[in-house]
Amino acid sequence: MIQLVDHEDVLALFVEGISGRYWHIKAPEEFASRKFELETDTVGQSPDSIFLPATLDAPDAGAYRLLALEQLGYRECGTYRFAMDVAIERVPELLEARNPQIDSRMGDFGQFYGCFDVPGLARDLFGLLELARVHGHLMRVYPGIVRHRQRYFEHQRSPQTDSVITPLEGARIHWMGGMRQLAIRTPRLNAELQMATDKTLDVYASAERTWQLYGELKAAYPSTEVDAFQINDDDLTDWLRKEERVAELDAQLDDVKGMLALATSGEGTVEADAQTLGEGVVREPDLDIVALNEQRDALARKAALERAAVNYGLG
């Protein structure tokens, strides 16, 4: 066992060197949300912090580096830019499967999981597929992490039998290099996890594979075990998606401010494209500056509301 408190400072420097910005390194017990709590073994993040277990069953501190880098990997790989509308474009069947009882204000991930009859199982399947995709990215971009990954995986995949692990856990251990017989109930999932290193895959590829593999995975579970899957209304990934949405609104707001600056500079006028705010076109000097001001103010209000919600939810 290793203790986070012994490695926080070094981890903070490591993460800052990779990401170019400072991150607090904290245990899940320090999560300051007013909406929900993190389990003590949670690995996660907020806008300014990375949360790692206070005590970790690992061979050395390199495991903490791997877990911290995973969290950066989710951002680098665009996991939190997931949008349900785009997912439907990639997987049209989701439109018909969409649960009409789900509140339209629910986050994109919650809406996606709600397309399945056991949302908690879909969440865990999608999470494993994304984890494998992120690891493929990390091994390509940060080859120095490979040795830490190998040691941690070797430690994690201790000998077990299929009578004491779930099908999803068996697939995870097999992906980590564990015994093949642990994953005999999920052959298609095993194959997809091995192919997740393909650098052309994105978060919507994970959504598509979740849709394709869900039936096989559910069939591998006894009905009594499937019923045990739970999902919370407040999911950390949905809140991180909302944080990403604030960044998107800020970018749109900057675009509108740029168009206003051009319009008031006397160098020409700009016509705002309602669909792609960042791609205005110069036209003759009859620009309706009032409309641009209204766009700016509406975006500023929306961004402020979203930011306040994220601050409340993530602390």
Side-chain angles (χ1 to χ4, degrees):
M1 291 288 187
I2 53 176
Q3 305 295 320
L4 181 62
V5 66
D6 297 329
H7 305 284
E8 286 181 5
D9 293 342
V10 173
L11 284 169
L13 290 172
F14 169 74
V15 171
E16 184 176 6
I18 294 291
S19 66
R21 53 164 284 198
Y22 181 77
W23 292 81
H24 298 282
I25 304 297
K26 299 179 179 179
E29 293 86 347
E30 300 177 78
F31 186 54
S33 171
R34 297 182 180 90
K35 296 284 289 182
F36 59 103
E37 296 179 353
L38 297 180
E39 299 292 335
T40 57
D41 61 349
T42 297
V43 178
Q45 59 181 281
S46 69
D48 65 355
S49 302
I50 290 177
F51 297 95
L52 301 170
T55 301
L56 187 64
D57 182 9
D60 54 50
Y64 272 134
R65 289 195 176 202
L66 174 65
L67 296 179
L69 195 55
E70 274 181 12
Q71 293 306 303
L72 299 182
Y74 284 117
R75 291 184 180 267
E76 293 177 3
C77 292
T79 297
Y80 303 128
R81 292 195 291 271
F82 177 86
M84 187 60 182
D85 290 345
V86 179
I88 289 174
E89 292 177 6
R90 294 278 292 269
V91 189
E93 295 89 344
L94 291 174
L95 182 60
E96 185 175 347
R98 210 168 189 174
N99 189 340
Q101 296 182 343
I102 289 182
D103 191 326
S104 60
R105 293 171 297 180
M106 180 175 281
D108 292 271
F109 286 108
Q111 293 181 46
F112 174 62
Y113 304 145
C115 293
F116 301 85
D117 58 347
V118 185
L121 181 60
R123 174 204 58 203
D124 290 358
L125 173 57
F126 174 82
L128 179 57
L129 289 164
E130 269 297 274
L131 178 64
R133 186 176 73 89
V134 167
H135 270 251
H137 166 78
L138 297 182
M139 288 188 290
R140 286 192 304 272
V141 179
Y142 307 107
I145 204 66
V146 172
R147 68 181 188 278
H148 299 302
R149 181 179 185 269
Q150 289 174 340
R151 284 201 296 268
Y152 183 53
F153 278 15
E154 287 171 1
H155 185 80
Q156 287 284 297
R157 59 179 191 246
S158 56
Q160 301 186 59
T161 65
D162 59 359
S163 61
V164 297
I165 63 170
T166 67
L168 193 62
E169 181 68 5
R172 186 185 72 87
I173 295 174
H174 179 255
W175 165 68
M176 293 168 63
M179 294 181 292
R180 186 180 185 87
Q181 60 265 36
L182 295 176
I184 58 175
R185 290 172 289 180
T186 54
R188 293 176 59 207
L189 174 56
N190 303 336
E192 290 294 346
L193 290 172
Q194 298 305 316
M195 293 188 292
T197 55
D198 184 346
K199 65 181 180 180
T200 65
L201 299 179
D202 59 11
V203 66
Y204 301 105
S206 295
E208 184 177 6
R209 283 157 175 75
T210 299
W211 179 259
Q212 295 168 347
L213 299 170
Y214 175 82
E216 175 192 81
L217 181 62
K218 182 184 176 185
Y221 280 86
S223 59
T224 53
E225 291 184 19
V226 170
D227 293 340
F229 276 89
Q230 300 291 329
I231 191 166
N232 297 323
D233 292 336
D234 288 305
D235 186 78
L236 180 59
T237 53
D238 256 329
W239 282 100
L240 292 169
R241 169 65 185 117
K242 291 174 183 178
E243 181 211 348
E244 190 69 35
R245 176 61 179 156
V246 172
E248 293 168 1
L249 289 170
D250 285 341
Q252 292 178 8
L253 182 58
D254 287 342
D255 287 340
V256 173
K257 288 179 178 178
M259 289 188 284
L260 270 170
L262 179 62
T264 56
S265 69
E267 298 177 1
T269 56
V270 178
E271 179 178 308
D273 184 332
Q275 298 300 317
T276 58
L277 292 172
E279 297 178 8
V281 294
V282 178
R283 62 179 177 81
E284 295 304 313
D286 59 342
L287 172 72
D288 186 356
I289 296 179
V290 173
L292 279 178
N293 277 318
E294 290 175 350
Q295 283 184 332
R296 178 200 60 193
D297 294 343
L299 282 169
R301 285 193 298 271
K302 190 171 184 179
L305 288 172
E306 293 275 2
R307 185 174 288 105
V310 168
N311 290 339
Y312 183 82
L314 290 177

